[in-house]
Amino acid sequence: MSANPQKNRASRRALAAVAGLTTVGALVAAMPAGAHDRGHGHGHGHPSRTVDVQLLSFNDLHGNLEPPAGSAGTVSETQADGTVKSVPAGGVEYLATSLRTARKGHPYSVTAAGGDMVGASPLLSGLFHDEPTIEALNGLDLDVTAVGNHEFDEGATELGRLQNGGCHPVEGCYEKGKKFKGADFPYLAANVTSEKTGKPVLKPYTVWKKNGVKIGFIGVTLEGTPNIVTANGVKGLKFHDEIETVDKYAKELDRQGVKSIVALIHEGGAPASASYNYDCDSPGAGDGISGPIVDIAKGITPKVDALVTGHTHQAYVCTVPDPAGKPRMVTSASSFGKLYTDTTLTYDRRTDDIVRTSVKSPSSANHVVTRDQAKATDMTALIARWNTLAAPIAGRPQGFISADINGRGSTAPEKPLGNLIADAQLEGLAPADKGGAVVAFMNPGGIRSDLVYTASGSEGDGVVTYGEAFTVQPFTNMMNVVDLTGAQLVTALQQQVSGSNAASPKILQVSKGLTYTLDMTKAGADRVVASSVELNGEAIDPAKSYRVAMNEFLAGGGDGFAALGQGTNKLVGPSDLDLFNAYLAAHSTAAAPLAPPATDRITIVQ
């Protein structure tokens, strides 16, 4: 799902311009004073032994400051009669209002996030290296977040700049006389260490304090981050086991007298239903959820009282028993700011620990960030300010469509927008002098949005603007064309449904001419019917060499596609976004807009 990749626009240049990890070692020392202490104060007299602490959390914002368009901007809600309703949600103007409303009447309230706040962002944030999103999160009063894999899209040095401030090393300051201040909340990266020093590149944990109440937060990203980010982004870094790391720092916090601990983990699961209000404790605790987070939750020390998770862009509030058999909340709030989780942590002043009982305590629920509430005026002003700076680029028309072309919002293995992107890559790289490609592959996680027919601004319905195209493909990955044998091609297709992708298949989007059958009744690599793989009606010859186009992330073996990383005779082409925009321009006019392509390349047997 969100397990994807790559880098934002100028990371290549930025990484070349900034020397290694030298600044990152100093990050802990350079943390803004008091960022870990927000809300600290002294109470006089404690009438009650317990105090309810409100934990508000969200995850995977991905720089979506404006409400996400199309199906990417909705959540599914199961109604009392069993029907499922689609509810429009998200946008920081509404998220700010939701959080501020939720905090009312809660003197003890802390707001935490589960990573991927930035990266793979729409143009409004991505164009400015996500400074607008950090500014918005400061305004939302975020207290702490874990890093996610996308926080490393532009490398550790750029992540350090987002934390500590300072203008971009290549592009400078975006507003005259204004220096970027950085995040006034700590980014936690307990399981990411520098290869040189062995030390965490950012703070491993932080302690939130108020009137003698202390809650420790430990933040980790998934250990598999290097498999889903370009090599440049994780250069010089080591990623460690999530359970071992959280246990290590929970012990350290415990020794310091911090008994109440929340783990922020950028790894997630898949609930049995896509509805945000699904009860994943039915029939038993945690029965309705699967995926990597389940084993992590079962393995993390009982010292940790709750897990805020992310990465899979799913919504769930589950009780997964800890190693001592005690119930423990594991939550995730979908993505793009469409939901937030409200959890009540009952803090015992005598033990300094969270009370966890067999009844759902802590109690927790996900809430929709609806768009029928008042907008937060400070967020509206922030969006308008950055939109003014982005407008000359964002509003340029690139092409025309006759209807929605679904990508991120499509749940099918083969997506209309995936086919369109793969066709654009093949067409751009098929000429002999451009690489001579005969087939193109696109990773599904790199498609970040839908192409929506309804106008996002004043451009008119059916017009695709540069900003909308950028939102679909925000990584600006350079395209590669390589030689692969027919055998390697078939192996790559099998890797969609085997190895690290066995539990959660990643179905590559393929260019026209490539067809095959995917038999989901079988297991592992056998799901790809090898004899069915054809190119332009001819069976793939295992011994023959084929020129294959793909982005540099896939060409590096990303997302578990080791076979694609074995290509030879590499030719580097234009960026994926440039090819996408060129295709839109070549194949559509206002009078003859582009229709959604048919999805008939992969035959699915269920």
Side-chain angles (χ1 to χ4, degrees), residues 101 280 333 456 486:
T101 304
C280 60
S456 58

Side-chain angles (χ1 to χ4, degrees), residues 5 23 25 164 171 178 252 360 368 371 450-451 481 512 518 543 571:
T23 59
N164 296 314
E171 300 184 20
K178 257 193 180 179
E252 197 170 304
K360 263 201 180 176
V368 183
R371 297 185 197 165
D450 301 333
L451 276 187
V481 186
K512 60 174 175 278
L518 195 58
L571 182 135

Side-chain angles (χ1 to χ4, degrees), residues 422-494:
D423 288 351
Q425 294 177 353
L426 177 62
E427 181 169 296
L429 299 170
D433 60 336
K434 302 280 192 248
V438 294
V439 65
F441 290 132
M442 174 65 193
N443 54 311
I447 306 167
R448 305 305 299 187
S449 182
D450 301 333
L451 276 187
V452 180
Y453 178 77
T454 307
S456 58
S458 58
E459 75 276 7
D461 290 349
V463 179
V464 180
T465 63
Y466 184 87
E468 289 164 342
F470 183 98
T471 299
V472 167
Q473 291 206 276
F475 300 109
T476 318
N477 267 314
M478 302 317 286
M479 290 301 300
N480 289 183
V481 186
V482 298
D483 284 344
L484 286 170
T485 64
Q488 287 168 326
L489 269 186
V490 173
T491 300
L493 293 174
Q494 291 170 332

Side-chain angles (χ1 to χ4, degrees), residues 488-504:
Q488 287 168 326
L489 269 186
V490 173
T491 300
L493 293 174
Q494 291 170 332
Q495 285 168 347
Q496 301 175 113
V497 287
S498 62
S500 61
N501 295 328
S504 179

Side-chain angles (χ1 to χ4, degrees), residues 35 79 146 188 197 246 273 425 427 462 508 577 591:
Q79 308 300 297
L188 304 180
T197 66
V246 173
S273 161
Q425 294 177 353
E427 181 169 296
L508 293 165
L577 182 62

Side-chain angles (χ1 to χ4, degrees), residues 148-196:
N149 52 292
H150 281 283
E151 261 80 21
F152 294 94
D153 281 350
E154 294 194 43
T157 305
E158 173 63 4
L159 174 56
R161 186 182 76 87
L162 291 182
Q163 176 72 86
N164 296 314
C167 295
H168 192 271
V170 175
E171 300 184 20
C173 301
Y174 294 112
E175 294 175 289
K176 209 175 177 180
K178 257 193 180 179
K179 187 184 165 194
F180 173 58
K181 291 191 176 78
D184 66 10
F185 51 88
Y187 256 114
L188 304 180
N191 67 331
V192 188
T193 58
S194 157
E195 281 178 354
K196 275 184 192 157

